[in-house]
Amino acid sequence: MSTPAAVPTTDPTPTAVRPAGLTVDDLTVRYGSTTAVEHVSLDVAPAETVAVIGPSGCGKSTTLRAVAGLVPVAEGAVGLAGRDITGLSPARRDIGLVPQNYAVFPHMSVAANIGYGLRARGTATPRREERVREMLELTHLSDLAERRPDQLSGGQRQRVALARALAIQPDALLLDEPLAALDPQLRGGLRRELAAMLAATECATLIVTHDQREALSLGSRIALLRDGRLVQFDTPQRLWDDPVDAFVADFLAGAVLLDAEVADGHAVTLDGRWRIPVGDLAVRPTGHGAVRLLLRHDSLTVTDDADAAALLAEVTHSEFTGDGVHLTVRAGERLLGVRVPPDARIGRSVSLAVAPGRATLLSPRA
Amino acid sequence: MPSRTAAGGRAAVVTGAGVGPATRRGAPHAPAWLAALPALVVIGLFSAYPVLVMVANSLGLGQPPADGGPTLEHYARALGSVTVREALLNSLYIAVGSVLITLCVAVPVVLRQADDDRAGRRGGAATDALLTLPIALPGIIIGFFAIVLTGRTGLLGLAWDGFSGLAYTFSGLLIAYLYFSLPRVLGPLRGAAATLDPSLTESARTLGASRPRVFLTVTLPLLLPAAIETSGTAIAVALGGYGTVATLSEGCGSCRSTLPTNSPPGTGSPPRPPSR
């Protein structure tokens, strides 16, 4: 999973062994006076898929465009397969790009779209035709080779764009919001299909998305960006289990992360208003310093006995979710989520307790 | 609600054309051609009908007009005439030539403007106004400008002798018509350029195509339908443009004539403008 941090920059024979995939080193991009991306460092190993995720305006698309060479880099460097490509024209980077709207050339057939890059590179006709045929097969488009893009569905167009990008055998593949333009009902199936096709490629793949599920399922590592800065870059499991801060916990897992202290067998949180026996909590080590309490939507239950381990909270919102009711409750300054059965009778204020073993205490020492 | 007001608007148009009130009520799905009917009536009345009558008369069908013409013989004589043929060819050369040159000038401008618009740079209001200004100017004024610049004692002639008298030559006319056609091509072409998706050219670039290649294989083919449509209109307008060529042809007796200036007096040609 991890890649060597040092990239050999003076390799005169790039065709021989290409040690590293894609590296983004201390990247800063500015649009006029605004800084869109600030000191972001990433690396993607060959055949690995890294998902870049964050709320809109966090700089994830700008990062991708900087890697593709479509926006100028203010500071930092982009390396690919051992070459420094920071200042290289997009045409010479050997990067396959699948834009958000797929940008399939509307005046060319599917096959001509896929062959466009090979034609531009002057690949000999027999080799080009063979490669186009391979790509058509990989993306299950062989029957549609002579179709025009306006006769294709969104999912088919996505596959054309993917095949077109892969046809040039790029060192890196960039996908900008690959599923955002598709119907929500189709996304699940197409996500699995996309994952299968990406697994068949050898190139370093960078996926930009705002969708947590996409990031968690497609990325072997996830880079989370906020306000142009990298917040956390780790495997999906680690991001899920040990978020660096409350923003990561909320954005990726919809979870709440509370600062806590451990005092005589109790976890104390919310400024001492809530004392939970440590025995009720799952305790896990954290790599991020302080003791914190991680609450997911299934971590809390509504309880009748208002003992010391219970937290009194005020219900601010309730939402029917089919298999239950999701309550948003306020405890002091914090908003928490609780799931209750659909037939539960809920007043305006509730006592909350942790479901034994469902809430996690992240402790640096444990 | 919007659909209802739209239907009402259509009914009003239909009634206005005198089709009758029957379509107004109880016909929520009036056939689409009803909406086109008023326009079709006008076009039929003013172009199809007179042409049909003229063709019929020329072929000796129907009632001949009082003066006995025009007949096939008249047409043959007109087309056989060297001056008419020359004027026709000159008109075509100048109209087509100037519009082709205009396209070459206009395409980079509209692509640049589309880029600027997308990037949110709107510094070009003055440029826009300047570029579209000639559309408001009558051809005579444009001819006059050409004379002021490149006439025998023109301003540019002071700088270089080659410019003096250029206004009365074929190239001079071409340049004057370039100025005449530019706003007529720029406007519509700009709309087409704005709809070009920049991610198409970006994708083509990342696939390894050079800028010229992207222009030739992606930008140009996508812009072509709009360019053809626009230049068709511009050529038609330039062909009929009378003022410029009339003004410039006043400058010399041996000047090339084009169709609008070749119309003999008394056939409905507009009065000649006063010479300078």
Side-chain angles (χ1 to χ4, degrees):
Chain A
M1 198 60 46
S2 67
T3 51
V7 178
T9 48
T10 53
D11 186 0
T13 55
T15 45
V17 187
R18 288 179 166 177
L22 177 69
T23 55
V24 175
D25 191 21
D26 206 26
L27 177 78
T28 298
V29 179
R30 295 195 185 94
Y31 292 125
S33 58
T34 56
T35 304
V37 173
E38 209 169 352
H39 304 299
V40 167
S41 296
L42 297 172
D43 63 278
V44 191
E48 189 195 5
T49 299
V50 166
V52 179
I53 187 173
S56 57
C58 70
K60 54 190 190 298
S61 283
T62 303
T63 305
L64 178 129
R65 292 174 64 79
V67 170
L70 300 171
V71 293
V73 171
E75 286 167 39
V78 182
L80 181 60
R83 303 170 289 150
D84 178 18
I85 60 166
T86 314
L88 221 54
S89 119
R92 310 190 54 189
R93 294 193 172 207
D94 283 333
I95 283 180
L97 172 70
V98 179
Q100 184 169 1
N101 59 3
Y102 311 137
V104 176
F105 303 129
H107 57 298
M108 296 180 198
S109 70
V110 168
N113 260 284
I114 297 173
Y116 184 89
L118 300 169
R119 210 181 270 271
R121 280 148 198 265
T123 310
T125 309
R127 173 80 193 108
R128 189 180 75 228
E129 283 169 356
E130 185 196 330
R131 183 83 188 136
V132 168
R133 213 164 28 244
E134 284 170 23
M135 288 298 110
L136 286 168
E137 270 166 39
L138 173 75
T139 51
H140 316 296
L141 287 168
S142 300
D143 296 340
L144 306 173
E146 296 312 316
R147 290 273 186 94
R148 293 266 159 177
D150 55 9
Q151 299 169 304
L152 302 179
S153 71
Q156 289 165 341
R157 243 176 274 176
Q158 182 200 45
R159 301 206 306 263
V160 175
L162 186 66
R164 184 180 65 180
L166 288 174
I168 60 171
Q169 291 180 303
D171 291 320
L173 179 67
L174 309 178
L175 300 131
D176 191 0
E177 301 275 7
L179 301 167
L182 302 171
D183 287 341
Q185 296 92 320
L186 301 173
R187 273 184 214 156
L190 289 168
R191 190 174 60 226
R192 286 182 279 279
E193 200 178 87
L194 182 64
M197 285 186 285
L198 292 180
T201 68
E202 286 300 306
C203 55
T205 303
L206 197 66
I207 292 183
V208 160
T209 176
H210 66 275
D211 185 306
Q212 299 85 313
R213 287 167 57 105
E214 253 171 74
L216 290 168
S217 63
L218 291 175
S220 58
R221 282 186 297 162
I222 296 176
L224 205 135
L225 261 61
R226 180 168 65 158
D227 296 337
R229 291 168 181 275
L230 185 68
V231 181
Q232 193 171 0
F233 181 34
D234 220 326
T235 63
Q237 190 70 51
R238 297 269 295 275
L239 278 165
W240 185 268
D241 289 341
D242 186 16
V244 69
D245 61 15
F247 167 75
V248 176
D250 177 40
F251 189 82
L252 208 68
V256 174
L257 194 66
L258 300 174
D259 288 329
E261 284 169 24
V262 178
D264 48 289
H266 284 73
V268 184
T269 184
L270 292 174
D271 302 323
R273 294 163 39 129
W274 197 14
R275 295 167 60 85
I276 311 157
V278 172
D280 282 356
L281 301 170
V283 182
R284 265 207 303 266
T286 175
H288 306 297
V291 177
R292 288 151 319 148
L293 183 65
L294 182 65
L295 300 174
R296 301 190 197 282
H297 62 81
D298 62 347
S299 297
L300 296 174
T301 54
V302 173
T303 175
D304 289 334
D305 34 290
D307 59 4
L311 174 71
L312 207 63
E314 186 190 340
V315 177
T316 61
H317 188 73
S318 77
E319 196 173 32
F320 181 62
T321 58
D323 57 344
V325 175
H326 186 84
L327 302 179
T328 306
V329 301
R330 186 203 304 275
E333 298 292 294
R334 299 301 296 253
L335 288 178
L336 307 172
V338 192
R339 181 161 294 190
V340 295
D343 54 352
R345 299 178 63 86
I346 299 297
R348 294 192 63 179
S349 73
V350 288
S351 292
L352 301 178
V354 296
R358 288 291 181 79
T360 309
L361 189 70
L362 297 171
S363 165
R365 285 188 304 277
Chain B
M1 277 309 116
S3 66
R4 193 168 172 85
T5 51
R10 181 190 292 172
V13 170
V14 168
T15 317
V19 171
T23 51
R24 181 187 260 169
R25 202 167 301 145
H29 293 293
W33 57 264
L34 266 184
L37 199 61
L40 286 177
V41 167
V42 171
I43 289 174
L45 207 59
F46 282 89
S47 48
Y49 178 64
V51 168
L52 278 178
V53 169
M54 272 177 65
V55 170
N57 284 344
S58 325
L59 294 174
L61 311 167
Q63 196 180 359
D67 60 357
T71 63
L72 283 184
E73 206 180 316
H74 288 96
Y75 296 135
R77 217 186 303 152
L79 290 178
S81 138
V82 176
T83 46
V84 169
R85 211 164 47 216
E86 213 165 66
L88 180 68
L89 284 178
N90 283 340
S91 282
L92 275 177
Y93 287 150
I94 288 180
V96 175
S98 68
V99 168
L100 284 182
I101 299 173
T102 306
L103 272 183
C104 297
V105 176
V107 166
V109 174
V110 294
L111 291 178
R112 178 64 209 231
Q113 279 179 328
D115 272 354
D116 283 357
D117 286 349
R118 269 190 288 271
R121 291 189 294 264
R122 289 293 296 124
T127 320
D128 280 1
L130 211 59
L131 285 174
T132 40
L133 178 70
I135 208 166
L137 298 177
I140 295 173
I141 305 283
I142 292 174
F144 177 68
F145 283 175
I147 290 168
V148 169
L149 284 177
T150 55
R152 274 186 212 91
T153 54
L155 295 172
L156 293 182
L158 297 177
W160 180 53
D161 211 35
F163 282 126
S164 74
L166 189 73
Y168 313 114
T169 65
F170 187 74
S171 348
L173 268 181
L174 214 52
I175 293 171
Y177 270 94
L178 171 69
Y179 184 64
F180 183 76
S181 301
L182 200 55
R184 289 170 173 81
V185 170
L186 271 181
L189 212 53
R190 190 176 174 185
T195 62
L196 282 183
D197 183 353
S199 65
L200 291 172
T201 48
E202 286 172 1
S203 300
R205 288 284 284 150
T206 60
L207 289 167
S210 61
R211 281 180 197 281
R213 191 181 180 98
V214 172
F215 179 77
L216 287 177
T217 56
V218 177
T219 313
L220 205 56
L222 292 177
L223 213 52
L224 206 57
I228 290 174
E229 192 185 328
T230 308
S231 43
T233 316
I235 287 172
V237 172
L239 267 179
Y242 170 78
T244 308
V245 83
T247 311
L248 294 179
S249 64
E250 288 298 306
C252 61
S254 64
C255 197
R256 288 163 180 265
S257 72
T258 64
L259 268 192
T261 52
N262 197 54
S263 327
T267 55
S269 128
R272 297 209 144 194
S275 58
R276 68 192 161 114

